[in-house]
C-alpha cells in the first residue's frame, strides 16, 4: 500500500478532443509533490513548471496568475484584483489584499440618474464600472515570499501571449457570445474579436498583452502603474466616461492583513477577512450549523440542506448590514463570529419550517446567475500552501480592453452597494457599510481558504461564483470535515445556495429531487440554475498523499511538479 502511494497516480479524465495541444487533467494523486489546480490547463502547467524549476508555492502562484491573465481572459487578469491566503511551512499565516479600490473621483451617487434611480448598466459595463486594479501590485507583494525573480515568473505568460495558444470550445463560445460587447466597449478591435466565429483549436495571439507583460518584466511595478501602460489606461478612460487617473494608479497599495482564523471540529481554518465577507460568512455558517450536529446527516440530504440553508440565510443578512472595507467602517467581525452572538442568531431556527427572509429585511428582486472570478490552489513539496481567488468581477469584467495594452479592465465597482437596497449583479444587497467612497475597497465574497490539521495544510480550497463563493466553500468544508467525503465527491457534487435575498434556494440542475420535494413541504422555494462555482481543491492526508481535484464544470485542470 505504502509503495503504491509513492507512485504518481493520474486518475485523469482527459478531454484531449477539445484541444490541439493541451489536456485537461481532473485529478492527480501523488506523494509529497507540489501541485497547482486552476481554471485552465496551461495556467496550471505554467505554475507546475515553476515548481519544477525550483520555485516554491508563492512563485507558482505568481506565474499561474500571470498565465491565467493570458489563457483565461474572462476572469484571469492583470486588470482586476484578488485575495491571497498563504500558510508557510514555518507556520506563518498571512493574507494579501489586492482588491481594487474606488477611484479618487468616485462618489456615492455616481450610478444614480437624475431621479435617484440606480443605473446598473453603468456600474457593470464600460469605463465607469472600473475600479483601480490591484493584481500586479499583489504579484509584487507576493515576491517577498518567493525564491525566483519576477522576470522568470512572468515569462510563461509572455510566451503564451506572444506565440498564442489553442482555445477550448468553451472559450470560443464565450468569445463569440460577447463579441458585440467587446466592440461596443472598446474603440479598437482587440485580439478577442475575430472576423469569423471563434472555434475550438483556434490560436489566440495577444501581441499587445505580451508587450504590456514585457514592460512589467522590464520596469517592475512601474511597468503597470506608471509609464506607457498607465498612460494607456488613463487614455482608455478618456475615450468614455472613465474616471481613473494616473495618481489613482500610482497610489494603489496592497494591504497585508491578518487572516481570519477560527477552529472547526479540531481543524484550524485560515481564510480571508474583510473587505471580503467570505471568511466571516464561512465562520458564521460553520459555527451555526455545528449547533445541530451536522455530522449525523448526509451530503445534500433534506436535513443537512435545511440546516445549512438556514445558516447561509442568517449569515447573508448580516453581510448586508455590517460588512464593508474595514478602513471605512467599524469592523464587527469579532462580534459576528462569536459563539454568544451566533447562538442567539440561531434561536429563530425551526426544524419544521423555513424561516422567511422577510423576518430579517424586505424582499428584493431575483439576482442574475453568474460564475465569474477564478480560483487557484497550490501546494509545494516543502509544505507551503497558497489559496488565491482573483477576479474581473463579471465575465471579461467591464468588457473594456485597454487599447494598445491588450487586457480587460474589471467592473468591480458593481460590488459596492450602488444604492442601499439595490441588488448587485449577484443579487446581493448592501447598505451604508458598503457605499461608494474614494479609495475604498468594495465588499467581496471571495473565500480563499486553507484548513490546517495539527498545524499542517490539510485542505486548500476556493471557487469563483460571486455570492455563491462562501456557500460553496462552506459546503466543501462540511463535506470533508463532517461527511468525510473524498475531494472528488466534494468538488463535483451538485451544489445549493441561499443568500437571504431573494428568499429561494438556488440548486444545480442535477440536485436530488427528493431533497427538493421534502424541503418544499417545509415552505422552501427552489430555483434551478445551470451551475454553481468551480471549486479547485488540494487535500493532503496524514501520510503525505496529495490529491488535487479540478472542478468538472469547466476546463479546470490539475498539474503536478
Ligand atoms: N466580484 C466578486 C467578489 O469579489 O465577490
Amino acid at each position: 500500500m505504502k509503495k503504491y502511494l509513492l507512485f504518481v497516480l493520474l486518475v485523469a479524465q482527459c478531454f484531449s478532443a477539445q484541444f490541439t495541444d493541451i489536456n485537461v487533467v481532473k485529478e492527480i494523486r501523488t506523494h509529497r509533490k507540489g501541485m497547482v489546480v486552476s481554471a485552465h490547463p496551461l495556467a496550471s502547467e505554467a505554475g507546475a513548471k515553476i515548481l519544477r524549476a525550483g520555485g516554491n508555492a508563492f512563485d507558482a502562484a505568481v506565474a499561474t496568475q500571470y498565465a491565467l491573465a493570458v489563457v483565461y481572459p474572462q476572469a484571469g487578469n492583470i486588470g482586476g484584483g484578488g485575495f491571497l491566503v498563504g500558510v508557510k511551512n514555518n507556520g506563518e499565516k498571512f493574507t494579501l489584499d489586492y482588491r481594487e479600490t474606488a477611484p479618487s473621483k468616485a462618489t456615492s451617487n455616481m450610478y444614480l440618474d437624475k431621479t435617484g434611480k440606480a443605473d446598473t448598466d453603468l456600474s457593470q459595463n464600460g469605463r465607469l464600472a472600473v475600479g483601480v486594479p490591484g493584481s500586479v501590485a499583489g504579484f509584487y507583494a507576493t515576491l517577498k515570499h518567493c525564491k525566483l525573480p519576477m522576470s522568470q515568473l512572468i515569462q510563461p505568460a509572455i510566451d503564451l501571449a506572444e506565440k498564442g495558444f489553442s482555445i477550448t470550445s468553451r472559450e470560443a463560445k464565450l468569445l463569440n457570445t460577447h463579441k458585440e460587447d467587446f466592440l461596443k466597449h472598446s474603440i479598437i478591435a482587440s485580439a478577442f474579436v475575430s472576423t469569423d466565429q471563434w472555434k475550438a483549436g483556434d490560436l489566440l495571439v495577444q501581441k499587445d498583452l505580451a508587450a504590456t507583460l514585457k514592460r512589467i518584466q522590464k520596469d517592475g511595478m512601474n511597468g503597470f502603474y506608471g509609464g506607457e501602460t498607465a498612460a494607456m489606461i488613463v487614455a482608455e478612460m478618456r475615450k468614455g466616461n472613465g474616471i481613473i487617473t494616473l495618481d489613482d494608479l500610482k497610489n494603489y497599495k496592497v494591504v497585508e492583513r491578518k487572516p481570519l482564523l477560527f477552529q472547526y471540529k479540531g481543524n484550524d481554518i485560515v481564510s480571508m477577512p474583510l473587505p471580503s465577507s467570505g471568511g466571516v460568512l464561512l465562520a458564521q455558517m460553520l459555527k451555526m450549523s455545528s449547533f445541530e450536529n451536522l455530522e449525523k446527516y448526509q451530503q445534500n440530504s433534506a436535513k443537512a440542506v435545511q440546516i445549512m440553508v438556514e445558516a447561509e440565510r442568517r449569515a447573508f443578512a448580516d453581510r448586508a448590514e455590517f460588512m464593508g472595507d474595514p478602513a471605512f467602517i467599524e469592523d464587527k467581525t469579532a462580534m459576528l463570529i462569536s459563539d454568544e452572538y451566533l447562538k442567539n442568531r440561531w434561536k429563530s431556527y425551526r426544524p419544521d419550517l423555513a424561516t422567511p427572509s422577510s423576518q430579517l429585511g424586505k424582499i428584493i428582486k431575483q439576482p442574475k446567475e453568474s460564475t465569474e472570478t477564478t480560483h487557484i490552489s497550490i501546494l509545494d513539496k516543502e509544505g507551503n500552501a497558497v489559496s488565491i481567488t482573483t477576479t474581473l468581477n463579471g465575465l471579461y469584467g467591464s468588457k473594456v480592453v485597454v487599447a494598445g495594452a491588450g487586457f480587460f479592465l474589471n467592473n468591480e465597482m458593481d460590488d459596492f452597494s450602488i444604492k442601499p437596497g439595490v441588488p448587485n449583479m449577484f443579487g446581493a444587497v448592501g447598505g451604508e457599510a458598503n457605499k461608494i467612497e474614494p479609495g475604498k475597497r468594495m465588499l467581496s465574497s471571495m473565500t480563499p481558504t486553507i484548513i490546517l490539521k495539527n498545524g499542517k495544510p490539510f485542505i486548500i480550497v476556493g471557487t469563483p461564483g460571486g455570492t455563491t463563493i462562501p456557500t460553496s466553500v462552506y459546503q466543501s468544508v462540511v463535506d470533508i470535515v463532517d461527511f468525510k467525503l473524498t475531494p472528488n465527491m466534494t468538488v463535483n457534487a451538485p451544489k445549493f445556495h441561499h443568500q437571504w435575498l431573494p428568499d429561494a434556494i438556488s440548486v444545480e440542475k442535477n440536485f436530488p429531487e427528493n431533497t427538493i420535494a421534502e424541503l418544499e413541504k417545509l415552505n422552501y422555494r427552489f430555483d434551478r440554475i445551470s451551475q454553481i462555482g468551480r471549486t479547485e481543491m488540494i487535500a493532503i492526508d496524514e501520510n503525505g498523499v496529495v490529491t488535487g481535484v479540478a472542478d468538472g464544470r469547466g476546463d479546470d485542470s490539475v498539474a503536478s511538479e
Side-chain angles (χ1 to χ4, degrees):
M1 182 65 182
K2 209 162 183 191
K3 217 168 178 188
Y4 156 82
L5 295 176
L6 294 171
F7 285 103
V8 174
L9 180 63
L10 279 180
V11 194
Q13 284 170 266
C14 295
F15 299 107
S16 48
Q18 280 183 26
F19 305 97
T20 54
D21 57 358
I22 39 179
N23 283 334
V24 171
V25 179
K26 288 297 180 190
E27 183 168 338
I28 295 180
R29 242 182 124 214
T30 180
H31 191 252
R32 294 194 203 286
K33 276 199 175 182
M35 208 175 277
V36 181
V37 194
S38 84
H40 197 284
L42 290 173
S44 299
E45 179 52 26
K49 211 163 151 183
I50 288 293
L51 292 177
R52 282 179 224 125
N56 64 16
F58 303 99
D59 291 296
V62 174
T64 307
Q65 286 173 97
Y66 272 126
L68 277 174
V70 179
V71 299
Y72 195 67
Q74 68 200 67
N77 68 82
I78 55 172
F83 297 117
L84 179 153
V85 172
V87 175
K88 295 173 100 167
N89 57 6
N90 63 4
E92 181 188 340
K93 306 168 189 73
F94 69 97
T95 77
L96 294 176
D97 166 354
Y98 39 102
R99 182 72 163 164
E100 299 91 328
T101 54
S104 53
K105 289 185 185 154
T107 59
S108 62
N109 61 0
M110 63 191 277
Y111 300 115
L112 305 186
D113 67 17
K114 285 193 191 93
T115 64
K117 197 164 152 273
D119 184 345
T120 50
D121 186 41
L122 280 182
S123 65
Q124 291 172 11
N125 300 301
R127 297 168 185 87
L128 194 61
V130 185
V132 182
S135 289
V136 174
F139 306 160
Y140 276 89
T142 310
L143 259 194
K144 75 172 180 193
H145 306 284
C146 293
K147 287 169 142 179
L148 303 178
M150 187 62 94
S151 56
Q152 188 175 344
L153 305 179
I154 200 172
Q155 192 59 47
I158 294 175
D159 293 341
L160 286 163
E162 200 153 50
K163 295 177 193 149
F165 66 97
S166 301
I167 60 170
T168 67
S169 56
R170 277 193 185 84
E171 284 156 356
K173 202 169 152 205
L174 278 177
L175 289 171
N176 291 333
T177 305
H178 291 283
K179 180 174 177 175
E180 291 313 314
D181 292 327
F182 300 156
L183 290 171
K184 180 173 171 195
H185 294 293
S186 297
I187 277 175
I188 55 169
S190 63
F192 307 104
V193 175
S194 165
T195 39
D196 305 320
Q197 289 277 294
W198 288 105
K199 53 188 188 322
D202 282 353
L203 205 62
L204 177 58
V205 178
Q206 299 171 73
K207 295 279 184 205
D208 287 347
L209 178 56
T212 299
L213 295 172
K214 282 183 186 169
R215 284 193 293 278
I216 298 170
Q217 191 179 42
K218 181 167 149 288
D219 299 329
M221 283 272 283
N222 203 47
F224 186 88
Y225 291 98
E228 216 178 318
T229 312
M232 286 174 182
I233 295 172
V234 172
E236 186 61 54
M237 292 289 118
R238 292 198 179 123
K239 286 178 190 141
N241 50 1
I243 55 173
I244 294 177
T245 63
L246 284 176
D247 275 347
D248 289 338
L249 292 165
K250 197 177 77 190
N251 295 333
Y252 181 83
K253 294 268 178 313
V254 173
V255 183
E256 190 160 334
R257 298 184 189 278
K258 280 198 186 130
L260 188 83
L261 298 175
F262 61 96
Q263 286 228 320
Y264 184 63
K265 302 191 176 175
N267 302 283
D268 291 303
I269 312 256
V270 188
S271 194
M272 197 64 213
L274 292 176
S276 184
S277 60
V280 185
L281 294 177
L282 182 64
Q284 288 192 298
M285 295 184 293
L286 285 168
K287 286 184 176 193
M288 279 191 272
S289 54
S290 73
F291 302 146
E292 298 298 324
N293 299 324
L294 205 49
E295 68 280 356
K296 283 196 313 208
Y297 305 105
Q298 276 163 8
Q299 182 192 49
N300 290 342
S301 63
K303 198 69 217 170
V305 173
Q306 184 192 10
I307 293 166
M308 293 171 76
V309 156
E310 292 300 341
E312 292 175 4
R313 185 200 306 275
R314 285 161 177 78
F316 269 87
D318 283 354
R319 181 191 197 272
E321 185 172 350
F322 296 112
M323 300 184 208
D325 181 346
F328 288 76
I329 59 156
E330 190 190 341
D331 185 347
K332 297 220 167 85
T333 300
M335 181 273 282
L336 289 170
I337 65 170
S338 68
D339 288 351
E340 192 192 351
Y341 175 80
L342 293 169
K343 276 185 185 145
N344 199 38
R345 200 87 176 100
W346 196 245
K347 275 186 187 152
S348 54
Y349 166 69
R350 283 186 56 183
D352 57 337
L353 201 63
T355 308
S357 284
S358 55
Q359 279 186 4
L360 303 161
K362 79 176 164 59
I363 300 292
I364 298 173
K365 70 173 185 175
Q366 184 66 24
K368 279 195 207 167
E369 296 163 27
S370 36
T371 54
E372 300 80 2
T373 305
T374 189
H375 182 81
I376 307 157
S377 292
I378 305 180
L379 179 80
D380 67 25
K381 63 172 180 278
E382 290 149 25
N384 299 300
V386 189
S387 188
I388 300 163
T389 314
T390 175
T391 189
L392 288 167
N393 196 21
L395 272 177
Y396 306 104
S398 61
K399 320 285 190 304
V400 177
V401 177
V402 179
F407 60 89
F408 284 102
L409 288 167
N410 67 82
N411 62 346
E412 217 71 57
M413 291 298 284
D414 190 60
D415 269 349
F416 279 115
S417 159
I418 62 168
K419 183 177 180 184
V422 172
N424 72 1
M425 66 191 303
F426 305 106
V429 288
E432 284 291 302
N434 189 32
K435 73 174 184 202
I436 303 172
E437 293 178 75
K440 189 175 181 179
R441 285 157 147 84
M442 52 296 279
L443 184 62
S444 172
S445 297
M446 296 192 280
T447 318
T449 298
I450 299 173
I451 310 179
L452 306 177
K453 196 183 243 175
N454 303 320
K456 299 253 181 292
F458 164 43
I459 299 287
I460 307 165
V461 66
T463 178
T467 41
T468 68
I469 295 174
T471 54
S472 289
V473 172
Y474 171 44
Q475 284 160 56
S476 294
V477 177
V478 167
D479 284 350
I480 295 279
V481 175
D482 291 276
F483 302 148
K484 311 273 183 282
L485 297 176
T486 64
N488 191 9
M489 290 159 90
T490 300
V491 168
N492 291 310
K495 298 252 178 334
F496 62 91
H497 168 75
H498 197 294
Q499 60 180 47
W500 172 51
L501 297 173
D503 192 348
I505 307 173
S506 300
V507 287
E508 291 187 300
K509 289 208 173 91
N510 53 348
F511 199 78
E513 288 298 331
N514 55 340
T515 295
I516 294 175
E518 272 191 59
L519 290 176
E520 278 175 340
K521 287 186 211 147
L522 305 183
N523 270 6
Y524 289 93
R525 192 167 73 73
F526 286 84
D527 284 327
R528 288 168 177 79
I529 63 174
S530 57
Q531 67 175 54
I532 296 179
R534 284 164 62 172
T535 304
E536 322 292 6
M537 183 181 285
I538 297 176
I540 308 100
D541 77 8
E542 57 279 7
N543 300 312
V545 177
V546 184
T547 305
V549 175
D551 201 304
R553 293 166 180 83
D555 299 323
D556 314 51
S557 191
V558 195
S560 72
E561 204 173 347

